[in-house]
Amino acid sequence: MELAKNYSPKEVESKWYQYWLDNKLFSSKPDGREPYTIVIPPPNVTGVLHMGHMLNNTIQDILVRKARMDGKNACWVPGTDHASIATEAKVVNKLAEQGIKKTDLTREEFLKHAWAWTEEHGGIILKQLRKLGASCDWDRTAFTMDEERSKSVIKVFVDLYNKGLIYRGVRMVNWDPKALTALSDEEVIYKEEHSKLYYLRYYVEGEDKYAVVATTRPETIMGDTAMCINPNDPKNQWLKGKKVIVPLVGRVVPVIEDEYVDIEFGTGCLKVTPAHDVNDYMLGDKHNLESIDIFNDNGTISEAAGIYVGMDRFDVRKQITEDLEKACLLEKVEDYVNKVGCSERTGVAIEPKLSMQWFLSMKHFADMALPPVMNDEIRFYPTKYKVTYKNWLENIKDWCISRQLWWGHRIPAYYMPEGGFVVAETAEEALKLAQAKGSKAQTTADLRQEEDALDTWFSSWLWPISLFNGINNPGNEEINYYYPTSCLVTGPDIIFFWVARMIMAGYEYMGKFPFKNVYFTGIVRDKIGRKMSKSLGNSPDPLELIEKFGADGVRMGMLLSAPAGNDILFDESLCQQGSAFCNKIWNAFRLISGWEVSDEIKAGEGSKTAMKWFEAKLKEQVAEIEDLYSKYRLSEALMAAFKLFTDEFSGWYLEMIKPAYQKPIDKETYTATLGFFEALMKIIHPFMPFITEELYQQVKGGEEVESIMTATLKLDAATEEEKQLLADIETMKQVIAGVRAVRNSKNIPPKEPLTLEIVKGSQLPNLSEELIVKMANLEAIKEVEQKDESASAFMVGTTEFAVPLGNLIDVEAEIAKQEAQLQHLIGFLAGVEKKLSNEKFVAHAPEAVVALEKKKKADSEEKIAALKESIKKLRG
């Protein structure tokens, strides 16, 4: 195959991805090999690729490709999530553009629109992942609302209900007034807001005195049914046993006593609104208070409030403040910073609301899910997230699993005409259960199914099991083979939503953890630390990046900035660096493949040493990279591979063995070099799959060559002899670097041959003279009793080397240069001496600081003496 002058990512990527697909190289079936399984965190079905997906899926692909090359049966299962709230909101907005309201449609009509939207926009993100090189088994693509997954969800709901773990009841929930649904606690994000603290006057019934209550929410006073004081609060003892009048509303409510009230907050008097605050709800329950729900589902004021009916809650806050002031019922208003709970999906402030919902008891699950993470049966990378996980599980609350949505898995509860309900997988089974309970229902039409859908996470918590049909068909061949999965790659922001719940479901339904390792990625931020978002305009389009830098370049760029669990400061220049690395690899192969090979000549001693050295270096670095993989330090593993290629192979090895200009290379060295290049392609492949496949095929040079994807790299550990060779070559590199430094500092052209002197009396390292002569362009290496007077010397370890300069330098220019250095050092020394002569500085500065200044003085004096001696010699 002819190698193009320049690397063209677009051509190479499309060619090889299609080749991999055509040859089913991503496909996996159970067999005798060790399985390596990853399940994709399912992106929203109608989503498009963003930078977070790029990072997450690059990491997954690296792990899967590495496992495949290690001879494991790698299975990466793709899929998408139905994303109830987000998808329903998009469909509602689309219908609104056509002048259709959701309320004008039946559930069935709405779902037709939702499925049409999903089919039109769904799966785009999975197609985009192919551009990245994702080696998923696409034949296994799943959807959380496909038939198999839906059946699994319903089966699990029924099972947990029958176990007494799912219950229905009126509870205080987080209500999203925009999405018009309840949310779980984990779907509420608390944002700091600069708001106000309003001090309201509650007059005592029958007296001309009032108590002052501080609140951030004056719009809820219509729901007040008590005032509460702490019985131990001396300043409010006068209120005991009295009743107060709710301002503007006129309702007379009792003053109750409870130690829950914080004496220090505000005035120590608390308004109690049981229907609209979680803590007030508990107080109301304890003290048997009336509960008045003053909000409609959309956040407007309800008829029950009596005033401001139909107004939006935030408009009421402005209006009621004016009205309280006019009525002389507002004592004062202060600025106040507090945290407001907002919907994770819609961003609006949630409303605590009493509502009939379905819940899952969580203590049973938390007790199962905590120990395996804490004892490292399941390993978290980085381990700091174990603390986050532990804190949540130890303070877990029951999970509100019902959502007032139509798009999602409809709860399989069926209400009987006489009242009460039954739970069953199908309407037919529900009818049998209802009739067994004595219901008069004759057909399924006599039963009314629950309108609510299940929380999206109730389907995705089963993902590692349901993908292999482990719920519907327990113990089948695939679930037994692929479960538990090997690694989960995800963001720490869904540790509660998803990671913890999958662990719970794993132990409940499989008796075992769902994955052995969890790799937490960081959040992708821009180079100045801001979270990437559309609104800030700081999030690049991943597909445009791939178009510009190639998939391999972008993959490298993402990973260079991505240590596990730490936020990623993404900079496009990192992709440029990735693209430049591709070009370096390409050009290195073009150089090698351009050499003329001769059977007539034998490998020189220098080339033989170089080959032995690089083989040892490969062994050393492969062991290091394997260790980094085992610790999930993928960014460092890539860096090690990068340095192995650029520094050791291109920078040193190729320079050691390359033939002289227009001269041939011996076959032994050439063959070994191609072998090393092939090994390097295997090492780099998981990180940069496209260019490595292209060049691996070029190295192999045949039509029927296996893909690099399944090529293994097995190397023995370096022997003691090889370790010594590695150390010797490192010393040699320092010698060559020393000679090159002399050339640079004295402006001696690279083609000018030099002599290298080794000063006797020092321990001589074991060096390959042939390589030093070639790499440093020397005409001779000799041992001397005393170095040449014109020589520029340097040390490597305890050995002194010198390069005689003779007539190679412009003496006057060199003297001028050294004179300038000398004057600079004299000035620097004067500054240090002035500081050290300051008694206050010496007496009060930290000991380490004073010691550093003394070292600067000694170093400067030594350099000044050496420069004076050098100038003296130059002047003869």
Side-chain angles (χ1 to χ4, degrees):
M1 290 183 281
E2 187 63 35
L3 198 65
K5 185 179 178 184
N6 297 311
Y7 176 56
S8 171
K10 202 179 292 186
E11 284 174 37
V12 168
E13 288 166 11
S14 58
K15 174 178 75 176
W16 288 115
Y17 201 85
Q18 195 57 50
Y19 171 84
W20 296 330
L21 288 174
D22 292 345
N23 288 276
K24 297 277 185 189
L25 292 175
F26 305 155
S27 180
S28 174
K29 297 279 187 295
D31 60 25
R33 290 174 295 165
E34 179 189 341
Y36 186 92
T37 321
I38 288 185
V39 296
I40 202 168
N44 288 2
V45 65
T46 58
V48 291
L49 204 61
H50 60 58
M51 295 302 283
H53 295 132
M54 289 281 280
L55 172 67
N56 188 297
N57 288 285
T58 295
I59 290 165
Q60 289 176 81
D61 195 48
I62 289 165
L63 294 171
V64 167
R65 286 180 181 273
K66 176 68 170 66
R68 211 177 269 123
M69 294 181 82
D70 286 344
K72 294 173 185 172
N73 187 351
C75 180
W76 182 13
V77 188
T80 50
D81 188 274
H82 63 277
S84 295
I85 296 175
T87 305
E88 182 148 325
K90 283 178 180 174
V91 176
V92 167
N93 290 340
K94 182 179 177 257
L95 290 171
E97 287 168 12
Q98 297 168 18
I100 304 168
K101 290 181 182 174
K102 180 186 169 185
T103 49
D104 296 339
L105 301 173
T106 65
R107 186 187 197 107
E108 288 65 34
E109 287 168 340
F110 178 81
L111 288 175
K112 276 183 188 172
H113 286 285
W115 277 109
W117 170 269
T118 301
E119 278 150 25
E120 183 185 347
H121 298 277
I124 291 171
I125 191 164
L126 298 184
K127 290 187 178 72
Q128 292 174 327
L129 281 177
R130 296 172 187 227
K131 294 277 187 192
L132 185 66
S135 59
C136 301
D137 185 347
W138 297 110
D139 294 337
R140 292 180 175 273
T141 303
F143 176 45
T144 50
M145 266 178 67
D146 64 25
E147 191 177 344
E148 199 169 288
R149 260 50 61 181
S150 296
K151 197 176 171 191
S152 302
V153 169
I154 300 306
K155 197 177 188 78
V156 164
F157 182 96
V158 173
D159 176 63
L160 295 176
Y161 176 78
N162 290 335
K163 287 174 178 172
L165 293 168
I166 285 178
Y167 62 92
R168 181 174 180 260
V170 175
R171 298 286 186 280
M172 180 69 70
V173 297
N174 307 298
W175 186 262
D176 182 334
K178 186 173 181 183
L180 301 178
T181 182
L183 303 174
S184 67
D185 290 342
E186 291 71 40
E187 289 168 294
V188 178
I189 308 296
Y190 287 87
K191 297 178 184 175
E192 197 169 88
E193 281 193 7
H194 294 274
S195 53
K196 306 282 184 190
L197 195 57
Y198 302 85
Y199 289 79
L200 314 185
R201 294 172 178 172
Y202 284 65
Y203 275 87
V204 177
E205 185 187 35
E207 297 182 30
D208 195 24
K209 292 171 75 179
Y210 59 82
V212 175
V213 171
T215 180
T216 56
R217 302 201 62 198
E219 70 275 15
T220 63
I221 60 173
M222 294 85 80
D224 288 3
T225 54
M227 176 189 282
C228 190
I229 59 169
N230 191 311
N232 307 314
D233 185 358
K235 66 182 179 292
N236 286 319
Q237 294 294 311
W238 68 280
L239 284 166
K240 284 188 175 185
K242 297 192 175 179
K243 293 184 177 180
V244 293
I245 302 162
V246 180
L248 294 182
V249 180
R251 183 184 304 124
V252 177
V253 298
V255 175
I256 59 172
E257 298 170 42
D258 200 289
E259 289 186 349
Y260 161 75
V261 178
D262 181 358
I263 295 170
E264 302 302 319
F265 179 77
T267 60
C269 296
L270 179 79
K271 66 191 272 314
V272 184
T273 319
H276 299 294
D277 182 274
V278 176
N279 298 310
D280 290 9
Y281 172 67
M282 290 190 288
L283 276 175
D285 195 43
K286 183 176 174 183
H287 294 275
N288 202 24
L289 299 174
E290 183 188 0
S291 195
I292 305 169
D293 187 350
I294 65 158
F295 288 122
N296 295 316
D297 287 351
N298 64 358
T300 58
I301 305 300
S302 71
E303 296 282 348
I307 51 178
Y308 308 113
V309 175
M311 284 180 71
D312 179 78
R313 55 190 170 149
F314 295 114
D315 293 337
V316 172
R317 185 177 297 178
K318 291 176 193 165
Q319 186 60 51
I320 204 167
T321 307
E322 293 174 18
D323 295 346
L324 285 163
E325 199 160 18
K326 284 177 192 168
C328 298
L329 294 170
L330 184 64
E331 181 90 356
K332 62 178 176 176
V333 180
E334 291 177 347
D335 289 331
Y336 186 67
V337 176
N338 65 331
K339 288 196 171 178
V340 176
C342 298
S343 166
E344 188 237 356
R345 282 290 175 204
T346 63
V348 302
I350 60 107
E351 202 56 67
K353 181 178 171 68
L354 277 174
S355 180
M356 177 67 81
Q357 301 289 342
W358 293 85
F359 296 87
L360 178 62
S361 298
M362 295 301 280
K363 187 171 186 321
H364 158 74
F365 292 102
D367 290 346
M368 285 193 295
L370 184 57
V373 170
M374 300 319 292
N375 66 25
D376 288 335
E377 194 177 348
I378 301 170
R379 289 186 175 273
F380 280 9
Y381 298 89
T383 55
K384 66 181 179 182
Y385 290 112
K386 285 169 70 172
V387 178
T388 313
Y389 182 85
K390 181 173 183 276
N391 289 343
W392 183 68
L393 284 186
E394 288 182 341
N395 298 283
I396 202 159
K397 294 178 183 172
D398 286 356
W399 176 9
C400 175
I401 55 173
S402 46
R403 297 289 177 272
Q404 288 59 60
L405 300 166
W406 283 347
W407 177 246
H409 299 103
R410 193 171 179 179
I411 291 175
Y414 297 83
Y415 296 95
M416 299 180 284
E418 306 81 7
F421 63 87
V422 292
V423 170
E425 289 182 44
T426 65
E428 290 72 26
E429 287 172 38
L431 181 60
K432 287 177 190 170
L433 286 175
Q435 289 171 342
K437 277 189 169 187
S439 172
K440 295 189 176 93
Q442 296 300 306
T443 69
T444 54
D446 296 330
L447 300 175
R448 179 177 60 83
Q449 189 178 348
E450 169 66 72
E451 289 291 322
D452 289 357
L454 284 160
D455 180 7
T456 301
W457 297 104
F458 196 86
S459 55
S460 40
W461 79 321
L462 304 174
W463 194 239
I465 309 171
S466 64
L467 285 175
F468 303 108
N469 207 17
I471 300 293
N472 300 323
N473 185 11
N476 73 72
E477 182 192 17
E478 292 223 325
I479 195 76
N480 288 346
Y481 182 74
Y482 290 116
Y483 188 98
T485 67
S486 306
C487 182
L488 176 75
V489 181
T490 188
D493 50 332
I494 55 174
I495 192 168
F496 312 134
F497 289 126
W498 197 42
V499 181
R501 290 171 180 165
M502 280 192 288
I503 294 170
M504 294 169 180
Y507 281 99
E508 182 71 18
Y509 288 103
M510 297 298 297
K512 199 168 187 182
F513 51 74
F515 25 72
K516 300 181 191 79
N517 303 288
V518 183
Y519 179 109
F520 290 107
T521 64
I523 293 166
V524 184
R525 300 183 180 277
D526 64 17
K527 60 185 174 185
I528 57 171
R530 299 175 305 172
K531 188 172 179 179
M532 286 189 168
S533 69
K534 282 182 188 172
S535 56
L536 285 174
N538 65 343
S539 182
D541 180 337
L543 296 180
E544 285 178 13
L545 286 176
I546 290 172
E547 183 74 21
K548 189 172 178 183
F549 300 110
D552 288 334
V554 175
R555 286 167 69 113
M556 182 173 173
M558 291 299 298
L559 209 64
L560 283 177
S561 56
N566 295 326
D567 285 356
I568 287 93
L569 297 180
F570 179 77
D571 186 344
E572 205 172 282
S573 66
L574 293 167
C575 295
Q576 176 68 57
Q577 193 176 332
S579 177
F581 183 40
C582 285
N583 288 328
K584 188 163 189 71
I585 295 170
W586 189 260
N587 289 332
F589 187 69
R590 284 188 69 239
L591 172 72
I592 297 164
S593 59
W595 289 336
E596 182 191 339
V597 184
S598 170
D599 290 327
E600 305 300 317
I601 55 176
K602 299 290 182 190
E605 285 307 312
S607 290
K608 285 180 180 177
T609 302
M611 287 185 274
K612 284 180 188 171
W613 164 72
F614 196 75
E615 187 174 347
K617 178 57 75 174
L618 266 178
K619 290 177 179 179
E620 176 197 65
Q621 287 303 299
V622 165
E624 168 70 12
I625 290 166
E626 287 293 332
D627 182 59
L628 292 168
Y629 267 117
S630 72
K631 294 168 181 169
Y632 288 87
R633 285 155 64 174
L634 304 185
S635 190
E636 291 171 58
L638 169 60
M639 224 34 236
F642 172 74
K643 286 179 178 173
L644 176 61
F645 190 94
T646 54
D647 298 354
E648 308 296 353
F649 183 71
S650 293
W652 286 103
Y653 175 75
L654 290 184
E655 292 300 314
M656 290 176 189
I657 58 101
K658 78 176 179 185
Y661 181 63
Q662 290 190 333
K663 298 285 186 188
I665 188 169
D666 68 276
K667 191 161 188 181
E668 182 189 351
T669 305
Y670 182 74
T671 304
T673 303
L674 281 182
F676 294 148
F677 191 87
E678 180 185 323
L680 287 164
M681 292 305 93
K682 291 176 182 177
I683 293 166
I684 298 165
H685 175 74
F687 306 105
M688 307 175 85
F690 293 107
I691 191 169
T692 51
E693 180 74 90
E694 173 73 15
L695 293 178
Y696 176 80
Q697 298 288 335
Q698 294 274 358
V699 170
K700 290 295 193 183
E703 289 295 314
E704 297 298 320
V705 178
E706 64 163 356
S707 167
I708 193 172
M709 283 176 55
T710 52
T712 55
L713 178 63
K714 300 289 182 193
L715 294 175
D716 297 329
T719 63
E720 289 306 312
E721 189 182 337
E722 286 174 321
K723 287 176 185 174
Q724 185 56 52
L725 177 60
L726 288 171
D728 291 344
I729 296 292
E730 287 308 309
T731 303
M732 186 196 81
K733 286 184 192 175
Q734 290 177 53
V735 174
I736 294 164
V739 175
R740 288 173 177 174
V742 170
R743 278 188 190 279
N744 290 339
S745 67
K746 308 300 181 188
N747 296 316
I748 301 168
K751 290 186 177 178
E752 183 73 51
L754 300 173
T755 298
L756 179 65
E757 295 179 342
I758 304 174
V759 182
K760 277 186 180 175
S762 50
Q763 188 181 352
L764 287 178
N766 184 17
L767 300 174
S768 168
E769 284 199 15
E770 188 178 319
L771 285 176
I772 295 176
V773 166
K774 180 178 182 179
M775 302 282 283
N777 190 16
L778 302 177
E779 56 188 4
I781 299 177
K782 57 186 181 182
E783 254 186 90
V784 295
E785 293 289 342
Q786 199 168 354
K787 64 189 175 195
D788 187 282
E789 288 202 352
S790 71
S792 182
F794 60 91
M795 300 288 291
V796 174
T798 58
T799 308
E800 187 178 10
F801 294 87
V803 178
L805 299 173
N807 299 322
L808 293 170
I809 58 168
D810 180 335
V811 174
E812 290 306 316
E814 186 62 24
I815 289 172
K817 181 179 165 186
Q818 291 191 15
E819 286 278 12
Q821 288 174 336
L822 180 64
Q823 291 311 310
H824 171 76
L825 277 168
I826 290 169
F828 179 76
L829 178 62
V832 174
E833 287 176 330
K834 187 178 178 183
K835 199 180 274 189
L836 288 170
S837 66
N838 183 332
E839 289 178 11
K840 279 187 180 177
F841 170 77
V842 175
H844 298 107
E847 197 177 318
V849 172
V850 175
L852 181 63
E853 292 302 315
K854 286 179 178 176
K855 186 175 185 308
K856 285 180 188 174
K857 179 175 183 290
D859 289 349
S860 299
E861 286 170 343
E862 191 179 321
K863 286 175 185 173
I864 286 168
L867 278 169
K868 284 180 176 176
E869 181 64 24
S870 177
I871 292 166
K872 184 180 172 185
K873 282 181 181 175
L874 285 167
R875 284 181 172 150

